[in-house]
Amino acid sequence: MSLCPVGIWCASAGLMEYSLVCHHLSALSVSPVRKKLALFGIMLVLWVYMIYSCVGYCATMPSLLVDNYRAKETDLPSKRTESSRADLMSRLLPRAQSWVDLESDYDEPVDGTAARDSSNNESETERADDWDDAQRSPEQNTLSSFSNGSGSKRLPQAIIIGVKKGGTRALLEFLRVHPDIRAVGAEPHFFDRNYENGLDWYRELMPKTLEGQITMEKTPSYFVTREAPARIHSMSRSTKLIVVVRDPVTRAISDYTQTLSKKPDIPTFESLTFKNRTTGLIDTSWSAVQIGIYAKHLDNWLQFFPMHQILFVSGERLISDPAGELGRVQDFLGLKRIITDKHFYFNQTKGFPCLKKAEGSSKPHCLGKTKGRTHPNIHPEVVRRLRDFYRPFNMKFYQMTGHNFGWD
C-alpha cells in the first residue's frame, strides 16, 4: 500500500481506477490554489443544496399541517368536543377575521334635487376610508403568514346583496367568526360601479381560501341595481345570495339618520318623503323610500335566480335572536353550525348584540360608533302614511318569499 500526497490510501495492485483518482488528486496538490478552489466549489454546492432543501420544506409545511389535520379529523371519535375542534382549527387554518369597524354603507347625494336621487353613490372619501381600514385589518396579517402555495383567490360563492341599513354589516362581521368563511372587509361594488374592470380584477380583491372554505363579499346596493342580477348570473349561476331585510319604514328613517349625520343641513324627513304633503303623495324617487319596495327589486332578481338560491335574513331577528338567524345562514351555506349563542351578548347602550370575542381576540367586539345612532323624532302621521304606502308591497313580498316578516 502507498500513501497519496493528499492523504488517501490507494491500492496499487490491479486497481487502475483508484490509481487514476490518486493521480488527479496528486496533480491538484501540486497547486495549492487549485486545491482551495476545488474545496470552495464543493462547499458552495453543498450550501446551495442545503438552502434549497430547507426552502422547499418550509414552503410545504403549512399545507402539510392542514392536510394531516383534516385526514386525522375523519378518524377522531364522535365524542370529541366542539371546543377542542375549534381550538385545532384556529391553530391550523387561517384565523377568522377580527372585528373591523367600517362605516361602509353607501349614501346618496343630498344637495338640491340630488337629495331624491336613487343612485346611492357614497362619497369618494368614505370609499377611500373603507378600503384603507380593510387594508389594515388583521385579515391581511393572517393571510400573509401563509406561504404562497397555500390557498388561492376565488370568485365569491356567496354574496350579501342587500339591503342598505338592514343589518348587512352586522351579519358579515358575525359570519367572519366562522373558520370556513373568508370575506372581503370593504364593499367591492363590482357589479354596480366597477364592472368594467373585469372578473380578474374582482378576483384579486378576494381573500385566499383553502379547499372547503367559502369566499364572500357584501355590497348592499346590488339589490337595487337593475344590472346586478344578470351580471352575477353571468359570473356564476350557482351563486348563493343573501338579503337582509328590515321594516321599510324603520329602514328609511335609519337611512335618513345616516345621511343627516354627515349633512346636517339637508331638508327634513317629512319634506323628502312627500311629493305633496297636503295630498300625502309619497315621493318614490327618493332612494330612502324606493329601497324599501322590496317586492319590486326582488322581481328583478327572480328573472335570473330561483328562490331557493336566495336567503332572506330578518334584520329585526338579527338583533333579537342573532344565533337563530346565523344558524339559518350557516345551513343555507352548507356549513356546520359553529356560531351559536355562546358568541353573543346584548349591548344595552347600543341596543344590538355584540360578539363576546372575535376569533383570535380575547376582547368583546361591537360595531362602531356609526351604528346604533338615535333616530330623529318623526311625526306619527308621517309614519302612518308611510306604513299605508308600504303595506301592499309588503304583502306582495310576503307572498313571493313565503314568509311573513310582521311589519304591519
mmCIF file of all heavy atoms in Angstrom, residues 209-226:
data_model
loop_
_atom_site.group_PDB
_atom_site.id
_atom_site.type_symbol
_atom_site.label_atom_id
_atom_site.label_comp_id
_atom_site.label_asym_id
_atom_site.label_seq_id
_atom_site.Cartn_x
_atom_site.Cartn_y
_atom_site.Cartn_z
ATOM 1 N N THR A 209 -58.463 31.392 0.043
ATOM 2 C CA THR A 209 -59.233 30.374 0.755
ATOM 3 C C THR A 209 -58.623 28.999 0.517
ATOM 4 O O THR A 209 -57.987 28.759 -0.507
ATOM 5 C CB THR A 209 -60.703 30.348 0.288
ATOM 6 O OG1 THR A 209 -60.739 30.184 -1.139
ATOM 7 C CG2 THR A 209 -61.430 31.610 0.664
ATOM 8 N N LEU A 210 -58.841 28.126 1.478
ATOM 9 C CA LEU A 210 -58.430 26.735 1.354
ATOM 10 C C LEU A 210 -59.606 25.913 0.850
ATOM 11 O O LEU A 210 -60.749 26.385 0.819
ATOM 12 C CB LEU A 210 -57.960 26.202 2.710
ATOM 13 C CG LEU A 210 -56.742 26.903 3.330
ATOM 14 C CD1 LEU A 210 -56.527 26.411 4.754
ATOM 15 C CD2 LEU A 210 -55.496 26.703 2.493
ATOM 16 N N GLU A 211 -59.344 24.685 0.471
ATOM 17 C CA GLU A 211 -60.397 23.793 -0.001
ATOM 18 C C GLU A 211 -61.455 23.638 1.093
ATOM 19 O O GLU A 211 -61.134 23.368 2.250
ATOM 20 C CB GLU A 211 -59.802 22.428 -0.349
ATOM 21 C CG GLU A 211 -60.785 21.488 -1.023
ATOM 22 C CD GLU A 211 -61.209 21.971 -2.400
ATOM 23 O OE1 GLU A 211 -60.392 22.648 -3.066
ATOM 24 O OE2 GLU A 211 -62.349 21.679 -2.799
ATOM 25 N N GLY A 212 -62.712 23.822 0.723
ATOM 26 C CA GLY A 212 -63.806 23.683 1.683
ATOM 27 C C GLY A 212 -64.246 24.993 2.308
ATOM 28 O O GLY A 212 -65.286 25.042 2.967
ATOM 29 N N GLN A 213 -63.477 26.064 2.124
ATOM 30 C CA GLN A 213 -63.871 27.369 2.647
ATOM 31 C C GLN A 213 -64.686 28.135 1.603
ATOM 32 O O GLN A 213 -64.562 27.900 0.403
ATOM 33 C CB GLN A 213 -62.644 28.186 3.049
ATOM 34 C CG GLN A 213 -61.917 27.649 4.265
ATOM 35 C CD GLN A 213 -60.759 28.528 4.673
ATOM 36 O OE1 GLN A 213 -59.988 29.000 3.832
ATOM 37 N NE2 GLN A 213 -60.610 28.745 5.970
ATOM 38 N N ILE A 214 -65.513 29.062 2.080
ATOM 39 C CA ILE A 214 -66.380 29.849 1.208
ATOM 40 C C ILE A 214 -65.875 31.286 1.139
ATOM 41 O O ILE A 214 -65.572 31.893 2.165
ATOM 42 C CB ILE A 214 -67.831 29.824 1.725
ATOM 43 C CG1 ILE A 214 -68.430 28.427 1.581
ATOM 44 C CG2 ILE A 214 -68.700 30.840 0.981
ATOM 45 C CD1 ILE A 214 -69.836 28.302 2.132
ATOM 46 N N THR A 215 -65.795 31.811 -0.066
ATOM 47 C CA THR A 215 -65.443 33.214 -0.282
ATOM 48 C C THR A 215 -66.718 34.038 -0.346
ATOM 49 O O THR A 215 -67.661 33.673 -1.054
ATOM 50 C CB THR A 215 -64.649 33.384 -1.587
ATOM 51 O OG1 THR A 215 -63.482 32.558 -1.556
ATOM 52 C CG2 THR A 215 -64.241 34.832 -1.784
ATOM 53 N N MET A 216 -66.753 35.161 0.389
ATOM 54 C CA MET A 216 -67.950 36.008 0.416
ATOM 55 C C MET A 216 -67.587 37.482 0.260
ATOM 56 O O MET A 216 -66.453 37.883 0.504
ATOM 57 C CB MET A 216 -68.700 35.841 1.752
ATOM 58 C CG MET A 216 -69.396 34.527 1.949
ATOM 59 S SD MET A 216 -70.431 34.549 3.451
ATOM 60 C CE MET A 216 -71.678 35.763 2.959
ATOM 61 N N GLU A 217 -68.560 38.252 -0.137
ATOM 62 C CA GLU A 217 -68.468 39.705 -0.105
ATOM 63 C C GLU A 217 -69.864 40.268 0.126
ATOM 64 O O GLU A 217 -70.854 39.556 -0.031
ATOM 65 C CB GLU A 217 -67.865 40.273 -1.396
ATOM 66 C CG GLU A 217 -68.775 40.166 -2.627
ATOM 67 C CD GLU A 217 -69.202 41.542 -3.178
ATOM 68 O OE1 GLU A 217 -69.540 42.423 -2.361
ATOM 69 O OE2 GLU A 217 -69.216 41.686 -4.416
ATOM 70 N N LYS A 218 -69.938 41.528 0.523
ATOM 71 C CA LYS A 218 -71.242 42.160 0.701
ATOM 72 C C LYS A 218 -71.217 43.585 0.142
ATOM 73 O O LYS A 218 -70.282 44.351 0.380
ATOM 74 C CB LYS A 218 -71.672 42.139 2.162
ATOM 75 C CG LYS A 218 -71.062 43.200 3.058
ATOM 76 C CD LYS A 218 -72.024 44.335 3.378
ATOM 77 C CE LYS A 218 -71.437 45.322 4.367
ATOM 78 N NZ LYS A 218 -72.252 46.523 4.554
ATOM 79 N N THR A 219 -72.219 43.877 -0.680
ATOM 80 C CA THR A 219 -72.430 45.228 -1.199
ATOM 81 C C THR A 219 -73.944 45.453 -1.253
ATOM 82 O O THR A 219 -74.619 44.940 -2.157
ATOM 83 C CB THR A 219 -71.812 45.400 -2.601
ATOM 84 O OG1 THR A 219 -70.417 45.075 -2.562
ATOM 85 C CG2 THR A 219 -71.986 46.819 -3.097
ATOM 86 N N PRO A 220 -74.513 46.187 -0.301
ATOM 87 C CA PRO A 220 -75.976 46.328 -0.207
ATOM 88 C C PRO A 220 -76.642 46.960 -1.421
ATOM 89 O O PRO A 220 -77.826 46.722 -1.668
ATOM 90 C CB PRO A 220 -76.159 47.208 1.035
ATOM 91 C CG PRO A 220 -74.907 47.026 1.823
ATOM 92 C CD PRO A 220 -73.823 46.830 0.815
ATOM 93 N N SER A 221 -75.911 47.761 -2.167
ATOM 94 C CA SER A 221 -76.525 48.437 -3.308
ATOM 95 C C SER A 221 -76.831 47.493 -4.469
ATOM 96 O O SER A 221 -77.570 47.848 -5.392
ATOM 97 C CB SER A 221 -75.627 49.578 -3.804
ATOM 98 O OG SER A 221 -74.333 49.102 -4.103
ATOM 99 N N TYR A 222 -76.292 46.273 -4.455
ATOM 100 C CA TYR A 222 -76.590 45.328 -5.532
ATOM 101 C C TYR A 222 -78.095 45.062 -5.644
ATOM 102 O O TYR A 222 -78.632 44.916 -6.745
ATOM 103 C CB TYR A 222 -75.880 43.986 -5.292
ATOM 104 C CG TYR A 222 -74.380 44.004 -5.453
ATOM 105 C CD1 TYR A 222 -73.599 42.966 -4.915
ATOM 106 C CD2 TYR A 222 -73.713 45.028 -6.128
ATOM 107 C CE1 TYR A 222 -72.218 42.953 -5.052
ATOM 108 C CE2 TYR A 222 -72.335 45.029 -6.256
ATOM 109 C CZ TYR A 222 -71.590 43.980 -5.719
ATOM 110 O OH TYR A 222 -70.224 43.976 -5.851
ATOM 111 N N PHE A 223 -78.777 44.975 -4.501
ATOM 112 C CA PHE A 223 -80.194 44.590 -4.508
ATOM 113 C C PHE A 223 -81.048 45.559 -5.321
ATOM 114 O O PHE A 223 -82.033 45.154 -5.941
ATOM 115 C CB PHE A 223 -80.721 44.506 -3.075
ATOM 116 C CG PHE A 223 -82.107 43.923 -2.968
ATOM 117 C CD1 PHE A 223 -82.357 42.618 -3.343
ATOM 118 C CD2 PHE A 223 -83.166 44.694 -2.488
ATOM 119 C CE1 PHE A 223 -83.641 42.070 -3.251
ATOM 120 C CE2 PHE A 223 -84.445 44.162 -2.390
ATOM 121 C CZ PHE A 223 -84.684 42.848 -2.763
ATOM 122 N N VAL A 224 -80.672 46.829 -5.353
ATOM 123 C CA VAL A 224 -81.477 47.825 -6.078
ATOM 124 C C VAL A 224 -80.843 48.222 -7.405
ATOM 125 O O VAL A 224 -81.305 49.148 -8.057
ATOM 126 C CB VAL A 224 -81.701 49.080 -5.200
ATOM 127 C CG1 VAL A 224 -82.481 48.726 -3.951
ATOM 128 C CG2 VAL A 224 -80.378 49.750 -4.835
ATOM 129 N N THR A 225 -79.778 47.524 -7.802
ATOM 130 C CA THR A 225 -79.121 47.814 -9.082
ATOM 131 C C THR A 225 -79.684 46.894 -10.155
ATOM 132 O O THR A 225 -79.573 45.671 -10.058
ATOM 133 C CB THR A 225 -77.595 47.602 -8.975
ATOM 134 O OG1 THR A 225 -77.068 48.479 -7.971
ATOM 135 C CG2 THR A 225 -76.912 47.877 -10.302
ATOM 136 N N ARG A 226 -80.293 47.446 -11.152
ATOM 137 C CA ARG A 226 -81.013 46.662 -12.153
ATOM 138 C C ARG A 226 -80.105 45.697 -12.914
ATOM 139 O O ARG A 226 -80.515 44.598 -13.288
ATOM 140 C CB ARG A 226 -81.731 47.589 -13.131
ATOM 141 C CG ARG A 226 -82.658 46.860 -14.084
ATOM 142 C CD ARG A 226 -83.737 47.753 -14.647
ATOM 143 N NE ARG A 226 -84.751 46.975 -15.344
ATOM 144 C CZ ARG A 226 -85.759 46.349 -14.758
ATOM 145 N NH1 ARG A 226 -85.881 46.396 -13.443
ATOM 146 N NH2 ARG A 226 -86.637 45.669 -15.458
#
